[in-house]
Amino acid sequence: MIKIARAGGYAAAVFALAATVSFAGPSQATKIAPTTVEASYLDHAGATMDGETLAMNEAGRAAQLADNVMKAAEAAVPRPRALPELVGAHQRTEVSTAEQDCLASAVYFEARGEQIEGQLAVAEVVLNRVASKKYPNTICEVVEQPWQFSFVNATGSIPEADRDSKAWKKAVAISTIALDKLAAEVSEDVLWYHADYVSPSWGKAFDREKKVGVHIFYS
């Protein structure tokens, strides 16, 4: 019985050590495994207790090690973050590329008065158009295409946003979230939308997917 308990303790420790390497990564495995194993060897070398007590202590150490491994694994895996938290983390004035600037501009001019879910849906429509074969292949070409977005005039020029405003910083955050696919509001086949206070004739030709804020989205 004592031998079985001791074998169980060793098996648990080996499993925990293997899990540490697999889930926590080399740096975290280095912190946990050697110190625990060293302590186990020292206990064996100077043990004066009976076999059953020793086995129980080994089982306790193995359980503690397994608990440490689980905590390390949970810390190593990024937890999903809600959209408001993502927006707060990515708000800034600057954009990284001209393409992101065009996407943030589309969000700013089309939906800056909307809730962030509605802003994200607008950004996704732009990206969906880029990915489709029905529209140009770059973000700026999609946004600047005449008569597609209400803020773009006939020449395809984008107005200048107030880049010191909170609305612009939020638009930049939304563009980052959409580009990095950190969250999603509409499906990839949604290519059109319009405000709920207008009824364009083309709306009958497509499938209505959902309404987000004041915009109705179609695929």
Side-chain angles (χ1 to χ4, degrees):
M1 176 177 178
I2 295 175
K3 291 183 179 179
I4 294 175
R6 181 175 298 174
Y10 285 139
V14 171
F15 171 78
L17 289 173
T20 303
V21 175
S22 300
F23 294 106
S27 61
Q28 294 183 6
T30 301
K31 293 179 181 179
I32 297 174
T35 55
T36 306
V37 173
E38 182 181 359
S40 179
Y41 286 150
L42 290 174
D43 285 345
H44 278 293
T48 58
M49 62 190 72
D50 62 80
E52 184 174 358
T53 302
L54 179 61
M56 291 176 62
N57 286 350
E58 289 175 349
R61 283 194 294 270
Q64 181 62 50
L65 178 57
D67 184 61
N68 291 342
V69 169
M70 292 302 299
K71 290 179 179 178
E74 290 174 357
V77 178
R79 64 181 178 84
R81 294 195 288 179
L83 185 56
E85 188 178 355
L86 289 170
V87 170
H90 292 285
Q91 286 191 83
R92 55 184 53 86
T93 301
E94 302 80 12
V95 293
S96 58
T97 65
E99 289 286 277
Q100 186 183 9
D101 193 279
C102 289
L103 183 59
S105 295
V107 173
Y108 177 86
F109 287 108
E110 286 286 286
R112 66 178 180 271
E114 287 284 288
Q115 295 180 347
I116 53 178
E117 291 79 8
Q119 295 185 31
L120 178 59
V122 168
E124 289 179 287
V125 167
V126 174
L127 296 181
N128 288 349
R129 287 190 174 191
V130 174
S132 76
K133 297 181 179 180
K134 299 178 182 179
Y135 291 91
N137 297 323
T138 70
I139 294 173
C140 289
E141 288 177 333
V142 165
V143 174
E144 293 170 350
Q145 191 174 15
W147 313 117
Q148 294 300 311
F149 294 94
S150 59
F151 68 94
V152 178
N153 59 31
T155 63
S157 61
I158 299 176
E160 185 63 30
D162 179 0
R163 294 173 184 260
D164 292 325
S165 65
K166 293 182 180 179
W168 172 255
K169 294 176 183 178
K170 188 177 293 184
V172 172
I174 291 293
S175 67
T176 300
I177 294 166
L179 286 167
D180 293 344
K181 299 185 182 300
L182 302 178
E185 190 64 35
V186 297
S187 61
E188 294 180 353
D189 58 348
V190 173
L191 300 176
W192 305 275
Y193 67 86
H194 65 76
D196 60 4
Y197 49 81
V198 298
S199 298
S201 58
W202 56 259
K204 298 178 181 179
F206 303 111
D207 296 325
R208 173 171 171 164
E209 175 163 308
K210 65 190 303 184
K211 184 176 183 290
V212 185
V214 300
H215 287 123
I216 302 172
F217 294 84
Y218 297 84
S219 58

